[in-house]
Amino acid sequence: MKKSIKGGNFFEKKGLLRIVGAHDGLSAKLVELNGFDGVWASGLEISASYAVPDASILTMSQYLERACEIRDAVTLPVIADCDTGYGNSNNTIYMVKKYEAAGITGVCIEDKKFPKVNSLLDDGRQELAPIAEFVGKIMAAKNARISKDFLVIARVEALIAGWGEEEALLRAEKYAEAGADAILIHSKSKAPGEVLSFAEKWQKKVPLVLVPTTYPSIMDECTDEELLEKGVKMVIFANQGMRSSIKALNLTLREMKKTGGISGIEDKIAPLGEIFDLQGLTDLRHEEKKFLRSEHGDVTVIIPAAGKPNHQGSMEPLLRDRPVCMIDINGKSILERGLDILDGMKFGEINVIVGYEKKKALESLAGKKARFIHNSEYEKKHILHSFMLAGKDTSDRTLMVYSDILFDRALIEKVLKQKHDIVLVGDSTYTRFGHRNKKLELISVREKMSPGRRSLGEGMVMDVARIGKNVDERTAAFEFVGIAYFSAKGIRAFKRAYSKVIKSPERKKKFHEAVDISKASFTDMVQELIDGDVPVKVMPVNSGWMEVHSFEDYNFACSRIKDRG
Ligand code: SPV
Ligand code: MG
């Protein structure tokens, strides 16, 4: 976040101040991004943006609303063009209170009669207010302000109205005496001579402000130092921004009308990304991450999907060029289906670790809300390594879901409700029979299980004793579904145990069922935790998920899942 310089006396800032006209948040933001000293909430621009004349048509509230919009969009000081003060001294008092309270740096009021017309209008009705009346307004404005840093700039319109330099000097003198912090000497002369002559005679009584719209050469003819030397503290480039956008917009619209299309203009207009940046979308994303809480916002999901399928069996034709998670079930891959369910649950972050056929995976998952992490060594480093590529960054509740299973939302909801630190989902109806393309990851529990009583009560969890492909089928009570839940404490324990193994000299040795830690499966690390007396629970389920291990499974899944998503 940029440092605010709205506070303090703007005129105490060193050097010649260049402020630029704007009419809304966006135009003001562009002024700031281009490095100017402040923003001029221009009456001409604001009224033009409503497509009404700059002739006191809009009300004070409308101008103030825009000034606030501008103030909110930038950290720069904002000087508001307040025309004649919107009426007499009573209106001016109210106006100063409102603008100061709104955090505007200063106001500029002009000595014309209300209602005014724009000063640069050819043959404009330029009626000057009596000096005394305007002096009263300046005094009222000064009296109404609270901070001495709130600037009241008096704008002398005598040169605009054709009343001559003497009148201009007299008025400036009176307004300075009344307490004006600066004099804006306005001129519509085509050359800078008129204002330079005024400045010469003014003798720096209070700082001068210029609006060189009609005499732009002054900025080429005089250096900043020369202008400062003549008593000019600030120049206002009042309307060039709006004029440039009108021209650009017209060119684009004309081209669109002429061609009947939009392809020819694409490289002449700002990319959409620039709009998003100007809107502050980056900040919004950052803040959303921090503050937009949802029920599962503190849960990080990790889906390891990097591995190459090995035991293909009857699945061979389906798996020739893709991992299991990419198998298409009625128009959507298994993993896409999983991601759609998880996305709907508003998790903090969903990480998918890709490796084998990475390009295909990324193409098919384009547009899915997930962080994709590449396990470039997927052939040498297996699922535990993939898990830890994302797991190393998480300290919140974590959900691990295998990429090759189909599951219901209700199953995930259920495991997230568990109060234990590490909970695996185990299927209690697994069968030792049937064709499979791989060995199942089985779970045995500490509790005594009587045969034929595998269907257990809701919410009843048990202590895992052993997990892995080598667990004896006769003692196994569950098949590991491929869904594991960790509380913040649980994931810390898991990470601690992992880093201990990784750092130990034993890391090249056999690690549970794996030849070493790099080839370890997720379940090997769970066994390591159990052996280290970290409690691991299994939550029994008997429905709500399925895996595709065989061609039969595939046909079954296709017949069960009807939607084409
Ligand atoms: C404005 O920008 O509205 C001004 C400057 O007051 S000028 O249009 O030159 O009067
Ligand atoms: Mg104006």
Side-chain angles (χ1 to χ4, degrees), residues 8 25 38-39 68 100 118 132 179-180 201 229-230 273 341 348 358-359 393 420 423 495 506 540:
V39 183
C68 291
E100 185 175 14
N118 183 273
K201 303 199 175 86
E229 182 48 40
K230 292 175 199 305
I341 289 174
K358 171 185 146 218
K359 209 166 148 245
D393 300 332
H420 303 278
V423 183
K495 284 163 69 170
E506 311 279 284

Side-chain angles (χ1 to χ4, degrees), residues 21 40-47 54 81 83 110 112 116-120 155 157 160 184 186-187 211 213 236 238-239:
W40 169 246
S42 158
L44 172 69
E45 282 207 12
I46 295 171
S47 50
D54 180 17
D81 173 8
D83 290 350
E110 61 198 59
K112 286 213 293 253
K116 49 126 318 163
V117 287
N118 183 273
S119 307
L120 304 180
R155 167 162 154 182
E157 291 278 298
I160 294 283
L184 189 161
H186 206 6
S187 161
V211 185
T213 310
I236 303 175
N239 48 46

